[in-house]
């Protein structure tokens, strides 16, 4: 039931047992076909879709235009809060986003601060029960090799600041 026109990847789905809704993060995932280039990422639509009938039919909850949504996570401290990772080219809109109420205000997404060294390639967001956010970022293909924008970053203040304790070996590629 998902519109697959120009969407190569459904990156993940989540089910809310409290609302009965299913959510899907969609859009071209960098490297899914071996191409990590900025050009490829901007050629595809990205969005979060929602289904009220366990995936038979879908509607667009929020459209991130040509920017892929690589992951989504519920906020355990909010009934309708959700995090999303939006992938983009360096200097674009790629980062972790937060919506306080995806049911009643699904177009009100706030971009969180960028972790150090990152270049707009968030791949996954994980919310721990301790209110700690973990964000996995990927490196960009700099033409002559990958940049040092990769790693696992954590925030204990809702994404206002991020810690970077990644060894150098993880700064080139973290999957």
């Amino acid at each position: 039931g998902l519109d697959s026109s120009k969407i190569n990847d459904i990156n993940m789905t989540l089910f809310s047992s409290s609302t009965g809704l299913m959510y899907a993060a969609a859009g071209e995932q960098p490297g899914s076909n071996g191409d990590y280039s900025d050009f490829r990422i901007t050629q595809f639509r990205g969005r979060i879709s929602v289904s009220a009938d366990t995936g038979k039919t879908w509607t667009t909850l929020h459209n991130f235009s040509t920017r892929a949504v690589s992951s989504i996570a519920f906020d355990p401290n909010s009934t309708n809060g959700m995090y999303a990772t939006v992938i983009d080219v360096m200097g674009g809109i790629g980062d972790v986003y937060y919506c306080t109420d995806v049911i009643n205000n699904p177009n009100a997404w706030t971009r969180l601060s960028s972790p150090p060294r990152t270049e707009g390639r968030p791949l996954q967001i994980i919310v721990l029960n301790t209110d700690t956010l973990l964000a996995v970022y990927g490196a960009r293909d700099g033409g002559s090799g990958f940049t040092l924008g990769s790693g696992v970053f954590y925030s204990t203040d809702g994404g206002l600041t991020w810690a970077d304790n990644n060894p150098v070996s993880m700064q080139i590629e973290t999957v």
Side-chain angles (χ1 to χ4, degrees), residues 16-155:
S16 171
S17 57
S18 63
T19 64
L21 297 174
M22 182 180 283
Y23 298 90
E28 183 75 9
Q29 186 74 10
S32 62
N33 67 347
D35 185 348
Y36 290 84
S37 72
D38 286 349
F39 175 76
R40 180 155 178 81
I41 289 172
T42 61
Q43 300 305 301
F44 298 89
R45 295 180 297 176
R47 66 174 174 259
I48 298 172
S49 296
V50 63
S51 173
D53 57 10
T54 62
K56 292 179 186 127
T57 59
W58 294 86
T59 59
T60 299
L61 177 76
H62 185 73
N63 184 340
F64 283 93
S65 185
T66 59
R67 309 311 183 238
V69 180
S70 56
S71 75
I72 49 180
F74 294 124
D75 179 354
N77 298 310
S78 169
T79 306
N80 298 326
M82 182 182 283
Y83 293 90
T85 52
V86 179
I87 301 172
D88 196 9
V89 298
M90 189 171 163
I93 66 166
D95 256 323
V96 177
Y97 284 75
Y98 181 70
C99 180
T100 58
D101 191 343
V102 294
I103 303 292
N104 299 305
N105 201 5
N107 290 313
W109 290 85
T110 302
R111 182 180 183 177
L112 304 182
S113 66
S114 301
R117 292 188 299 99
T118 58
E119 301 172 312
R121 295 286 171 88
L123 303 176
Q124 187 173 17
I125 183 72
I126 300 165
V127 185
L128 302 178
N129 290 336
T130 60
D131 295 333
T132 298
L133 300 175
L134 295 177
V136 179
Y137 276 72
R140 292 177 54 250
D141 182 352
S144 60
F146 288 103
T147 62
L148 298 176
S150 183
V152 179
F153 303 86
Y154 69 93
S155 173

